[in-house]
Amino acid sequence: MMDVLLGDVETRKAAESARPQDDPGETLARVAWGVVAEPGDGVAGAMIAQFGAVEALRYGLSDSGFELSERAVDEARRRWRPRAQPRAVSDALRGASEVGARLLLPGDDEWPSGLDDLGDHAPSLLWVRGDVAQLTRRERVSMVGARAATAYGDSIASELAGDLAASGTLIVSGGAYGIDGAAHRAALGAGGGTVAFLAGGVDRAYPAGHQQLFERIQTSGAMVSELPCGTAPTKWRFLARNRLIAALGMATVVVEAGWRSGSLNTAGHAAALGRPLGAVPGPVTSAASAGCHRLLREYDARCVTSTAEVRELLGIEIGASADSGEVRTDPDQLRLLDAMSARTARSSTELARISGLSEERVRSMLGMLSLDAQVQQQASGWRLGAG
């Protein structure tokens, strides 16, 4: 079966075109594994680690014995064989070629070594649209949170991601609505880099409402998936995708999350990998922050309220030394505070007009300033606080 799966002349030519520097058999075997096995399949990972992709595929589609539990191998073969179709492999290569997606394999210079920490659950390949060099940036933070984010969560995510990206830190997230989208947009708005891990193929914009965002990400960041082009996202694949978000980041920050949020799944992967974990606190009455409070209480997450505290998670010193007495102030914050009144509440649109800043930037800073009570929100807008 394996020879049939990899033996088509047209398919081998497509593999040679995608990876002219490599043995087409190895390339095809990796693509085939991406077709037949679901993300994070530990049995497939163990076989590939022991035999290499080509021989692992031979064993995986045969009846030969293997050093894992016989029951586990038999169950895995029943999952793989229905998908072992030659056309599926050629379609994966053709689909990637049509959208300009690059095939990235372990050992490539641009392969993110942090993913190898997943062991048998590490991806066997990645499909990338955009700048693959983003995956090996020196500083990387994963930022996730609720899809149904509040204005508070959007503001905090935008402020943190924008400030981090402006100073060269890669923002890693999942491309979803809510906190993910806010983090990606803020990183792009600051002229920084961002990576979106998708739960389907990189040719499928999901959610569809983020089509324009994904197009922007491709210009200065990267869209990444371990699934072949044309693959639809599913609930399970979103959960499997979360392990990649956690593994690529040097630290993971959860901005908003419900009690049973999928973001807690990402946080769990980060904790299992030994990555620093941070959570942004919210109002104790907010269901959107219940998951963050749970992380702080039960998972030993660090409380994160500023960019400086995210950098502490990364082990990066920020600003002047503690004994220098120097205080660093964001000039944009000064402009915003100058535009505000202690007596009259003003909308974010009016504040943007007065300060000369973008409304998106104003909203993100208002969220951070509200944390230490420098500003207060009222029904009619924002005014200076007592902080």
Side-chain angles (χ1 to χ4, degrees):
M1 182 179 290
M2 190 204 79
D3 293 335
V4 174
L5 189 63
L6 306 184
D8 180 78
V9 173
E10 181 181 347
T11 303
R12 293 184 70 84
K13 286 182 178 179
E16 290 172 356
S17 176
R19 305 276 302 185
Q21 74 276 25
D22 289 342
D23 173 13
E26 177 70 17
T27 299
L28 285 172
R30 290 278 176 176
V31 175
W33 275 117
V35 167
V36 303
E38 280 291 307
D41 191 317
V43 178
M47 285 187 171
I48 292 171
Q50 180 164 337
F51 298 115
V54 176
E55 287 304 309
L57 196 63
R58 191 183 305 280
Y59 274 96
L61 299 180
S62 72
D63 295 318
S64 303
F66 185 62
E67 293 180 4
L68 289 173
S69 159
E70 183 176 346
R71 179 179 178 183
V73 174
D74 287 344
E75 288 179 354
R77 284 170 171 158
R78 285 194 290 271
R79 296 194 302 267
W80 300 336
R81 283 172 175 164
R83 294 183 173 183
Q85 303 296 325
R87 183 167 181 173
V89 177
S90 60
D91 285 349
L93 290 164
R94 187 181 303 109
S97 177
E98 289 174 353
V99 299
R102 177 171 169 183
L103 174 59
L104 204 59
L105 301 182
D108 287 348
D109 291 340
E110 299 89 352
W111 181 264
S113 59
L115 300 186
D116 297 334
D117 293 344
L118 292 166
D120 289 344
H121 302 284
S124 59
L125 81 169
L126 295 174
W127 300 102
V128 184
R129 292 182 75 181
D131 181 8
V132 295
Q134 297 288 342
L135 296 172
T136 52
R137 291 273 286 271
R138 187 172 64 87
E139 297 174 14
R140 306 176 304 278
V141 170
S142 298
M143 192 170 296
V144 296
R147 287 176 170 82
T150 67
Y152 166 82
D154 277 340
S155 295
I156 301 300
S158 296
E159 179 71 14
L160 294 177
D163 285 352
L164 289 165
S167 59
T169 300
L170 180 74
I171 302 300
V172 183
S173 197
Y177 289 133
I179 298 302
D180 288 16
H184 289 306
R185 282 189 290 270
L188 294 169
T194 187
V195 165
F197 277 105
L198 305 184
V202 292
D203 61 331
R204 298 176 69 104
Y206 188 88
H210 276 177
Q211 174 70 50
Q212 292 184 344
L213 174 61
F214 290 144
E215 290 174 357
R216 292 179 62 196
I217 289 174
Q218 290 177 55
T219 62
S220 57
M223 291 168 56
V224 187
S225 178
E226 58 191 315
L227 293 155
C229 288
T231 304
T234 64
K235 184 176 181 180
W236 157 249
R237 288 167 182 161
F238 279 109
L239 293 173
R241 175 275 312 267
N242 290 344
R243 79 193 197 286
L244 304 184
I245 295 175
L248 184 61
M250 297 164 58
T252 293
V253 176
V254 182
V255 178
E256 264 189 336
W259 185 260
R260 296 185 181 278
S261 170
S263 300
L264 302 190
N265 176 261
T266 306
H269 284 298
L273 290 166
R275 304 283 199 271
L277 177 62
V280 174
V284 295
T285 55
S286 173
S289 291
C292 290
H293 299 155
R294 183 181 180 187
L295 291 175
L296 292 169
R297 186 176 64 253
E298 299 178 12
Y299 292 82
D300 200 28
R302 294 276 296 277
C303 180
V304 169
T305 62
S306 67
T307 305
E309 290 173 353
V310 177
R311 292 191 173 281
E312 288 179 9
L313 287 179
L314 297 174
I316 301 170
E317 295 184 3
I318 187 71
S321 61
D323 58 357
S324 69
E326 179 184 351
V327 177
R328 298 181 61 184
T329 305
D330 183 344
D332 285 355
Q333 286 190 6
L334 286 178
R335 290 170 62 181
L336 176 58
L337 292 171
D338 285 344
M340 300 185 74
S341 167
R343 302 178 63 182
T344 304
R346 292 170 175 155
S347 68
S348 58
T349 302
E350 186 178 4
L351 291 172
R353 179 182 59 79
I354 296 172
S355 66
L357 300 169
S358 70
E359 189 171 355
E360 183 180 52
R361 178 67 171 155
V362 167
R363 286 198 300 266
S364 68
M365 287 192 294
L366 287 170
M368 291 301 294
L369 290 170
S370 67
L371 287 175
D372 54 9
Q374 291 189 66
V375 300
Q376 294 179 352
Q377 186 176 22
Q378 299 180 330
S380 56
W382 295 83
R383 67 174 181 83
L384 290 173

